[in-house]
Structure formats: C-alpha cells, structure tokens
C-alpha cells in the first residue's frame, strides 16, 4: 500500500473524528458561539474534501492490484464526508429555522408594537378631539351666558327707558292741562278786558255828553 495514501488516510480519519465531535458539541450551542463553531466545521470539511481528492489522485496512480482496494476505502470516506455534510446542513437548517422563528417573533412583536403605537396615536387624537370639543362647548356656554347677561341688561335698560317715557308722558300731560287752564284764564281775562273797555268807553262818552250839555246851558243863560 502507498505510504502517501496512508498519510492522507490517517489525516482524514483524525479530521473526521474531530469534525464529528465538533458537530455533536455544536448542537448544544446557540447564537454567535454556534455560528463560529459551524464556520470552523465548514473549514474542516473543506480540508477533508481536499484530503479525499488527494487520496483519489494517489489511488488512481497506483497499479490496478492495489488501486481497487484503495478505491473501495475511498468510497467509504466519501460516504463518511457526505454524512458529515448532512449533519452540518441539519445543524445550520435548525439554526436557520430558529432564526426564522426569532425573526417571525420579532416581526410579530414589531407589528404588535406598531399596532399598539397606532392605537395609542388614535386614542391620543380622539382624546385631543374630545378636549377640543369640550373647550368649544365651554366657550359656547360662556358666550351664551354672556349673551344672556347682555340680554337681561338690555331688557332692564328698556324697562327703565319705558318708565322714563311714561313719566315724561305724564309730565307732558300735566303741562297740557296747565296750558289749557292758562288758555281758558287768558280767554276769560280777554273777554273781561273787552267788556271793561266798552264800559269805560261808554262812561267816557256819557261824561263828554254831560260836559257838553253843562257848557251849553251856561252859555245860553
């Protein structure tokens, strides 16, 4: 048997055993430690694949009497390498599934937080609208009270003005009565003055006639 092939074979067996242990321990890890260990295992698988490729080249370079047995071994090592790759895929697939679940959970939590934030925003907007409506109602009520007070004040002013007008009307009525009485008095006085004037005129005329008669009698006698 080729010593070169045996050297590659020994290296592969040690590497395969080491990779198998790492794969088993990696299943107990998570997070960044698991990612780092998987990266180391993949590097080891590349080294193992390179060793199998070297063994294949070495076996095919040997005589047929030796090459047949070595190729049988090589097929076993290739099967072993494929099994290791399958285990790594299972680990990484489990890690991917876990990551997907975590992402879904994070996405669900994010959606929930966004929905909660949206609900809080709508609730704050509704509360603000209610506060604004309450402010408008209070403002309308205050305006209504002020208008009511203004209306009462106007009614009071109108009542006072009505009383003043009634008083002025009563005063004017009294003035009219006084004017009527004064007019009657002046009319009576005018009539009396006219009668007195005629009486005085008559007396003066009689006196003049009497004086003339007296003078006439004196002159004739």
């Amino acid at each position: 048997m080729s010593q070169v092939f045996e050297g590659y074979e020994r290296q592969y067996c040690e590497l395969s055993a080491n990779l198998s242990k790492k794969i088993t321990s990696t299943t107990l890890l998570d997070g960044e430690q698991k990612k780092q260990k998987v990266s180391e295992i993949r590097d080891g698988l590349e080294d193992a694949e390179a060793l199998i490729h070297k063994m294949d080249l070495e076996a095919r370079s040997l005589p047929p009497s030796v090459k047949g047995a070595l190729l049988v071994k090589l097929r076993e090592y290739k099967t072993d390498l494929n099994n290791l790759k399958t285990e790594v895929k299972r680990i990484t697939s489990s890690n991917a599934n876990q990551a997907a679940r975590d992402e879904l959970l994070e996405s669900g939590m994010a959606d929930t937080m966004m929905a909660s934030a949206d609900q809080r925003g709508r609730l704050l907007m509704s509360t603000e609208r209610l506060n604004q409506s309450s402010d408008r109602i209070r403002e309308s009520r205050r305006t209504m009270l002020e208008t009511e007070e203004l209306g009462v004040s106007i009614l009071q002013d109108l009542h006072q003005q009505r009383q003043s007008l009634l008083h002025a009307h009563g005063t004017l009525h009294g003035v009219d009565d006084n004017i009527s009485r004064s007019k009657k008095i002046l009319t009576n006085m005018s009539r009396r003055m006219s009668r007195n004037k005629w009486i005085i005129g008559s007396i003066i005329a009689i006196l003049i006639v009497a004086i003339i008669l007296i003078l006439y009698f004196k002159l004739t006698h």
Side-chain angles (χ1 to χ4, degrees):
M1 185 179 291
S2 172
Q3 292 181 354
V4 175
F5 185 91
E6 288 180 351
Y8 291 149
E9 182 180 20
R10 189 166 48 252
Q11 292 179 26
Y12 175 81
C13 290
E14 292 176 355
L15 181 58
S16 176
N18 188 23
L19 289 174
S20 181
K21 291 179 181 179
K22 286 184 177 181
I23 291 171
T24 301
S25 62
T26 302
T27 58
L28 303 176
L29 301 176
D30 56 4
E32 292 297 327
Q33 292 181 349
K34 187 172 185 179
K35 290 181 182 179
Q36 184 177 0
K37 187 65 69 173
V38 169
S39 178
E40 293 176 1
I41 292 172
R42 284 176 176 169
D43 292 339
L45 289 175
E46 292 178 359
D47 294 339
E49 194 167 4
L51 288 171
I52 287 177
H53 181 66
K54 291 178 180 180
M55 283 189 288
D56 184 55
L57 292 176
E58 180 64 22
R60 293 182 187 280
S61 67
L62 296 174
S65 59
V66 180
K67 180 173 65 175
L70 296 181
L71 289 177
V72 171
K73 281 188 175 184
L74 188 59
R75 283 196 294 271
E76 293 178 355
Y77 294 146
K78 288 182 178 179
T79 301
D80 178 68
L81 179 61
N82 289 330
N83 290 334
L84 292 174
K85 289 181 179 179
T86 301
E87 288 296 318
V88 173
K89 287 181 179 179
R90 183 181 63 80
I91 294 172
T92 55
S93 176
S94 175
N95 190 35
N97 291 335
Q98 182 64 34
R101 285 194 295 271
D102 294 340
E103 184 177 358
L104 288 174
L105 289 174
E106 291 177 358
S107 177
M109 291 177 65
D111 292 340
T112 302
M113 291 177 66
M114 289 178 63
S116 299
D118 187 45
Q119 290 177 354
R120 286 195 297 271
R122 288 197 296 269
L123 181 60
L124 289 174
M125 290 177 63
S126 300
T127 304
E128 185 176 357
R129 290 194 188 99
L130 288 174
N131 291 332
Q132 291 176 355
S133 299
S134 299
D135 292 338
R136 286 195 294 269
I137 290 172
R138 285 193 294 268
E139 183 66 22
S140 299
R141 185 177 180 184
R142 185 181 63 81
T143 303
M144 182 181 65
L145 291 174
E146 291 179 353
T147 304
E148 183 179 357
E149 292 177 355
L150 180 60
V152 171
S153 178
I154 291 172
L155 288 175
Q156 290 176 350
D157 291 340
L158 290 175
H159 179 71
Q160 292 177 358
Q161 291 176 6
R162 182 175 179 274
Q163 294 297 326
S164 298
L165 290 173
L166 290 175
H167 179 71
H169 179 72
T171 303
L172 290 174
H173 183 70
V175 171
D176 289 339
D177 291 341
N178 292 330
I179 291 173
S180 297
R181 286 195 297 270
S182 299
K183 186 178 180 180
K184 288 179 181 180
I185 293 170
L186 290 173
T187 301
N188 292 329
M189 288 177 66
S190 177
R191 289 175 180 176
R192 289 176 183 177
M193 287 176 66
S194 296
R195 285 196 302 269
N196 292 333
K197 182 179 180 181
W198 284 107
I199 293 171
I200 292 171
S202 298
I203 292 171
I204 291 171
I206 293 170
L207 289 173
I208 290 171
V209 172
I211 292 169
I212 291 171
L213 289 173
I214 292 170
L215 290 174
Y216 177 75
F217 283 120
K218 285 181 177 182
L219 290 175
T220 57
H221 296 289

